[in-house]
Amino acid sequence: MQLRNVTLPKENKWKITEINLTVPVEFVLVGFSDIPKLHWFLFGIFLFIYMIILLGNGIVILITKVEPTLQTPMYFFITNFSFLEICYVSITLPRMLMDLCTLKGNISFHACATQMCFFLIVGATECFLLAVMAYDRYVAICNPLYYPLIMNHKLCKQLVVGSFAIAIPIPVDHTYQIFSLSFCKSYKINHFFCDIPPLLKLACGDIFVNEMMVYLSTLLIVTVPFLLILVSYSRIISTILNLPSNTGRTKAFSTCSSHLIVVFLFYGSASITYLKPKSIEYEGTEKILCLFYTTLTPVFNPLIYSLRNKDVTGALRKFFPTLLAL
């Protein structure tokens, strides 16, 4: 790690003594370098996963754009969610693949800050967008007659833009606060990308306020949308159970189950990572959990939304024969 020494000048008026501060120029992402014999094997697995994520989410975006029957608010939100998933993995996976290939995890101070900031922004946006998607299902099932009027195209765009806008301030502030700390314990980040928990472990001095701010903001970003989702689905389930026909119940449950599976996959692993007690610190487990919600969940999402959805599977059957005919 390269270091630069910053010397505070002497001030006779205030009698400030000379202090040497060590500011890191770069960090080292440890990642999976502790198992170098498997680095090409891991490189192949993660490259395959990355290609599957790009292909799967890309197909979802494509068919929802070209298929007329999928031009509805629900698929508009699914399209935006798939786009976010591509951005989500592209922030971390290409960097991890490069580190596995070179076995060098050097990352500059500013690149680390940028990676963490964008990762947090996209993750927070996904949380709010999942809440928006739950609201969409609530209106569709609980107020079907007013659904086209309420969920018009203008409101849908505003909800997506709003999800981005709400998600930006807190991650930016967190990134500024964390990278304003002094890092004196080590320059090695025991992770495969720059994230809040491993960086706080390297900070020196009293970081209690920073830890509390992270905890409270995580509660705000994760818990508030999750509670909104629970409220929406409690109303949805109550409405579904009161439907007169079994066919109507089955169809309603089918359209909601995919979204619920994605919600629990994403929120479950992310909540354990950021809200677990400080006493529970198993770095290997933390890496596995991060792998789950940063790589495996984006792999599952296209499968969940396509295989469990008759409209999407029907569009896929129409799309691929047309593509092959071209």
Side-chain angles (χ1 to χ4, degrees):
M1 180 186 70
Q2 299 176 1
L3 302 174
R4 66 174 184 266
N5 290 324
V6 181
T7 302
L8 297 181
K10 295 180 179 180
E11 295 286 341
N12 293 330
K13 181 179 179 181
W14 299 102
K15 295 182 180 181
I16 299 176
T17 58
E18 187 179 90
I19 302 173
N20 290 324
L21 298 177
T22 303
V23 182
V25 174
E26 65 177 19
F27 293 103
V28 175
L29 292 168
V30 175
F32 301 99
S33 62
D34 50 345
I35 44 176
K37 293 182 179 179
L38 296 177
H39 76 106
W40 285 117
F41 175 72
L42 292 173
F43 177 84
I45 289 177
F46 289 123
L47 179 61
F48 177 74
I49 289 174
Y50 187 44
M51 293 297 104
I52 290 295
I53 292 170
L54 294 181
L55 182 64
N57 286 283
I59 289 174
V60 170
I61 293 172
L62 183 61
I63 62 170
T64 52
K65 290 292 184 182
V66 301
E67 177 58 39
T69 59
L70 302 182
Q71 304 299 311
T72 63
M74 182 177 77
Y75 294 109
F76 174 74
F77 294 131
I78 289 175
T79 299
N80 283 277
F81 191 76
S82 294
F83 171 73
L84 283 174
E85 291 286 59
I86 291 174
C87 295
Y88 199 56
V89 296
S90 296
I91 293 169
T92 58
L93 267 184
R95 174 80 209 191
M96 184 171 66
L97 290 171
M98 184 181 72
D99 292 341
L100 283 169
C101 185
T102 62
L103 288 180
K104 294 179 181 178
N106 300 64
I107 182 170
S108 71
F109 184 84
H110 293 100
C112 188
T114 302
Q115 185 188 51
M116 191 181 84
C117 185
F118 278 103
F119 178 81
L120 294 176
I121 288 173
V122 175
T125 304
E126 286 196 351
C127 290
F128 290 113
L129 190 58
L130 285 170
V132 168
M133 293 166 75
Y135 174 72
D136 171 71
R137 291 300 84 207
Y138 161 74
V139 177
I141 293 172
C142 299
N143 297 285
L145 296 178
Y146 295 98
Y147 180 70
L149 182 64
I150 296 174
M151 300 303 294
N152 56 71
H153 189 62
K154 181 180 178 180
L155 179 63
C156 291
K157 289 197 294 185
Q158 289 174 341
L159 288 171
V160 171
V161 173
S163 298
F164 275 96
I166 295 172
I168 291 175
I170 293 177
V172 170
D173 180 65
H174 271 324
T175 303
Y176 174 76
Q177 294 296 332
I178 288 173
F179 282 87
S180 297
L181 296 171
S182 297
F183 298 97
C184 56
K185 294 182 180 179
S186 174
Y187 58 88
K188 291 184 178 180
I189 302 173
N190 193 8
H191 216 312
F192 56 91
F193 70 98
C194 295
D195 199 8
I196 293 175
L199 275 165
L200 284 178
K201 292 175 185 176
L202 305 183
C204 53
D206 186 8
I207 58 170
F208 177 76
V209 174
N210 300 90
E211 290 176 331
M212 287 299 100
M213 289 299 294
V214 170
Y215 193 82
L216 291 174
S217 62
T218 303
L219 282 175
L220 177 64
I221 292 174
V222 174
T223 308
V224 171
F226 187 68
L227 289 176
L228 292 174
I229 292 170
L230 289 181
V231 170
S232 297
Y233 273 100
S234 63
R235 298 290 300 274
I236 288 170
I237 292 171
S238 176
T239 302
I240 291 174
L241 293 176
N242 291 325
L243 291 175
S245 67
N246 289 330
T247 304
R249 289 179 199 153
T250 303
K251 185 177 180 181
F253 272 121
S254 177
T255 58
C256 296
S257 60
S258 300
H259 181 246
L260 276 175
I261 293 171
V262 172
V263 166
F264 284 110
L265 283 174
F266 182 79
Y267 277 94
S269 54
S271 298
I272 293 171
T273 300
Y274 291 99
L275 297 178
K276 70 179 186 299
K278 188 181 177 182
S279 58
I280 304 175
E281 293 195 5
Y282 303 108
E283 293 178 342
T285 306
E286 189 173 279
K287 285 184 188 180
I288 293 172
L289 283 171
C290 286
L291 276 176
F292 190 82
Y293 74 84
T294 57
T295 59
L296 295 183
T297 303
V299 170
F300 294 147
N301 289 346
L303 297 175
I304 292 168
Y305 282 124
S306 59
L307 296 180
R308 297 181 57 87
N309 193 304
K310 292 181 179 179
D311 294 334
V312 176
T313 53
L316 285 171
R317 291 192 192 99
K318 290 169 58 180
F319 175 74
F320 281 107
T322 304
L323 187 64
L324 291 173
L326 296 175

